[in-house]
Amino acid sequence: MKSSRIPGFYNMSVDERRKLLKDNYDLTDEQMRNLSNNPSLSLDKANNMIENVIGTYELPLGMGLNFVINGKEYTVPMAIEEASVVASASHIAKIVRSAGGFEAKSRERLMIGQIQVVGCSDFKDAKQALLNQKDTLLSAANDAYPSIVKRGGGTRDLDVRILNEDANSTYSQMLVMHIYVDTCDAMGANMINTMVEAIAPIVEEITGGKVYLRILSNYADRSLASARCVIPPYLLTTGDFTGQEVRDGVIHAYEFAASDPYRAVTHNKGIMNGIDPIVIATGNDWRAVEAGAHAYAAKDGQYGSMTTWSEDEAGNLVGEIELPMSVGIVGGATRVHPLAELSLSIMNIESAAELAEVIVSVGLAQNLGALKALATDGIQKGHMALHSRSVAIAGGASGEMIDVIAKKLIDQKEIRVGKAKELVEQYKQ
Ligand code: NDP
């Protein structure tokens, strides 16, 4: 197992980093070509993926280092445009690896398909009729996608709810049937949609109602992944701040997010800073993951934190995260986009559940990165220094000029585009 701890990686040239990755992860020549091709996704492939294609859109792909999750080393590809995210994740992963790494698990991986039935003469009878025909319905859904059954997956259960039974409007009264499906290593949206569409006529026959919507639910709360870390305070010492002070600051910051949606949204955005880049790098559907994660953050009735931070009896900082994680290692774009395939192989991911565990661990790390900065120097010091290169480019710098202008922006403590433009003009003269 190659260590994800690669000292000095940030100081290497892009070519040196690529060579190191090739050697460390036995990447093939074709994978290396895909990495250096611009665009990596061919126009031909892109044109077959979506409609009205005019080109491809690239994002920086960086490596999150130092991760140890369930005792396994992970170097994590992250596709993101925002500076300081990759550095912050790697910084926290280094602290957590000194504390034994992240522990992560996936409880079960069932995706949910919904069928909406309206116009039943008696909703209670219709509900009972569906429950009586459970086996027939589950096996009809399996028949619509037999290959997933052969792989060991398929339907596992169903349930039925009546919504708005007493509403005055018949538009509001409805029955909603869920089927729960093990989609194995796929995210499963297309599988589920195929299944629910196939059994809709049977549902109409059983209920005497009319089926309207038949589609996957992105609230994947039967596909939860969780991660945990326990950090002794001495590992949190930062500048003039003691580890205990940092720990307390992180817990206060968490309590703020847990109590106030205005803070929780920003707190959770920081968590998604770690999650989305891996979801994107692996060709997964980040809108699905975003939607499910935010809904889960409101599961107790008020939108709150996706993580919890507390102090254990020994005074350690304990961080936990649990989120719906509807991702796959097959299907969708995961095997179509060449860099998605590369990202999965660098992480040496063997199952969708394992990918979900890595993703939530990085989300937890990213959250601690932000809270630790907020509880100490504030977010701007580290972030703006790393953002200075982008500001220099936005101000017109190119080539060797970028580093010079970025350094001047930091030295003069004015990291903004107007200042960068001035400095670029001076440099040219
Ligand atoms: P696919 O339709 O690509 O299905 C996955 C395929 O992978 C199956 O056809 C299966 O084929 C094959 N496969 C190979 N090995 C395995 C394995 N070990 N486990 C499971 N399947 C395997 O993708 P999904 O059904 O996962 O759908 C995901 C896509 O759907 C995403 O692109 C998403 O953006 C999109 N989508 C999302 C929606 C939403 O979120 N609401 C709605 C609609 C679409 P076989 O068994 O035949 O070999």
Side-chain angles (χ1 to χ4, degrees):
M1 188 163 54
K2 288 286 178 187
S3 173
S4 60
R5 173 101 190 84
I6 312 177
F9 196 71
Y10 69 100
N11 269 332
M12 294 176 187
S13 69
V14 174
D15 281 341
E16 285 168 338
R17 290 182 195 140
R18 284 181 174 168
K19 182 169 177 341
L20 190 143
L21 277 186
K22 180 174 172 22
D23 296 343
N24 270 11
Y25 301 105
D26 296 327
L27 301 180
T28 64
D29 289 343
E30 193 193 341
Q31 285 175 319
M32 292 312 292
R33 267 196 302 280
N34 287 334
L35 196 56
S36 45
N37 279 351
N38 191 5
S40 50
L41 178 66
S42 72
L43 209 49
D44 189 39
K45 267 192 186 170
N47 198 26
N48 284 301
M49 286 170 76
I50 65 161
E51 312 73 40
N52 299 353
V53 165
I54 56 160
T56 57
Y57 185 101
E58 302 274 313
L59 283 175
L61 183 67
M63 299 306 299
L65 304 180
N66 306 323
F67 280 92
V68 173
I69 302 164
N70 294 335
K72 180 171 165 184
E73 300 271 348
Y74 290 95
T75 313
V76 183
M78 302 173 80
I80 185 164
E81 84 297 345
E82 187 177 345
S84 82
V85 167
V86 176
S88 172
S90 305
H91 167 63
I92 298 298
K94 191 171 156 197
I95 293 175
V96 176
R97 77 183 279 128
S98 304
F102 295 89
E103 275 172 36
K105 56 177 186 279
S106 315
R107 255 191 276 159
E108 58 181 355
R109 273 192 48 82
L110 297 180
M111 295 297 287
I112 303 170
Q114 298 196 290
I115 296 183
Q116 177 198 32
V117 194
V118 303
C120 302
S121 51
D122 185 313
F123 280 96
K124 286 197 182 73
D125 285 352
K127 174 178 174 177
Q128 193 53 52
L130 285 173
L131 293 173
N132 292 345
Q133 296 292 327
K134 181 170 161 176
D135 291 347
T136 311
L137 287 160
L138 294 182
S139 95
N142 280 339
D143 289 347
Y145 217 107
S147 60
I148 198 65
V149 181
K150 280 203 200 99
R151 292 184 190 283
T155 52
R156 294 289 181 259
D157 202 0
L158 68 72
D159 62 30
V160 189
R161 289 172 300 144
I162 301 170
L163 302 186
N164 313 319
E165 192 178 12
D166 300 325
N168 293 329
S169 161
T170 52
Y171 282 116
S172 311
Q173 297 169 345
M174 67 189 77
L175 201 79
V176 179
M177 187 175 95
H178 282 184
I179 58 167
Y180 299 93
V181 185
D182 179 346
T183 57
C184 297
D185 285 321
M187 181 260 202
N190 293 318
M191 291 180 187
I192 298 261
N193 293 346
T194 304
M195 288 179 164
V196 287
E197 288 194 6
I199 63 173
I202 312 176
V203 171
E204 286 188 336
E205 204 176 293
I206 294 172
T207 57
K210 176 157 177 51
V211 167
Y212 275 91
L213 271 60
R214 300 142 291 163
I215 183 142
L216 168 92
S217 168
N218 285 114
Y219 191 32
D221 66 350
R222 298 287 298 270
S223 198
L224 297 172
S226 60
R228 185 170 194 271
C229 61
V230 180
I231 309 172
Y234 77 89
L235 289 173
L236 294 168
T237 308
T238 309
D240 293 337
F241 295 88
T242 67
Q244 281 81 0
E245 282 173 325
V246 176
R247 176 199 63 203
D248 294 349
V250 167
I251 298 173
H252 281 301
Y254 153 68
E255 292 290 351
F256 184 6
S259 320
D260 175 26
Y262 286 90
R263 174 59 207 149
V265 172
T266 322
H267 175 99
N268 291 341
K269 186 274 180 186
I271 294 170
M272 300 316 285
N273 270 350
I275 288 178
D276 286 340
I278 316 173
V279 177
I280 294 170
T282 54
N284 274 288
D285 185 335
W286 73 93
R287 288 86 54 207
V289 170
E290 279 275 350
H294 290 286
Y296 198 65
K299 67 179 186 311
D300 298 325
Q302 177 181 311
Y303 185 84
S305 170
M306 293 173 182
T307 53
T308 60
W309 293 96
S310 59
E311 180 187 350
D312 71 9
E313 280 172 5
N316 298 314
L317 178 66
V318 181
E320 289 172 296
I321 186 170
E322 181 178 66
L323 286 177
M325 206 38 70
S326 53
V327 291
I329 59 165
V330 292
T334 58
R335 300 286 159 166
V336 178
H337 196 303
L339 293 191
E341 187 270 334
L342 178 79
S343 297
L344 288 167
S345 85
I346 288 176
M347 286 189 284
N348 191 18
I349 294 282
E350 285 173 9
S351 67
E354 184 186 357
L355 177 61
E357 289 161 14
V358 171
I359 292 173
V360 291
S361 301
V362 179
L364 186 60
Q366 204 71 53
N367 186 219
L368 180 55
L371 299 189
K372 181 168 167 284
L374 286 166
T376 55
D377 294 327
I379 208 86
Q380 286 303 74
K381 190 176 167 203
H383 176 77
M384 290 310 279
L386 291 168
H387 182 50
S388 61
R389 282 200 179 92
S390 290
V391 174
I393 294 168
S398 60
E400 287 170 359
M401 209 198 299
I402 296 171
D403 275 350
V404 177
I405 303 295
K407 183 165 183 317
K408 285 193 173 176
L409 290 170
I410 295 169
D411 289 346
Q412 296 181 22
K413 297 192 169 63
E414 264 196 273
I415 305 173
R416 47 181 196 84
V417 176
K419 184 70 187 172
K421 280 184 182 159
E422 269 174 39
L423 293 169
V424 168
E425 282 312 308
Q426 285 169 17
Y427 184 94
K428 283 180 179 163
Q429 281 158 20

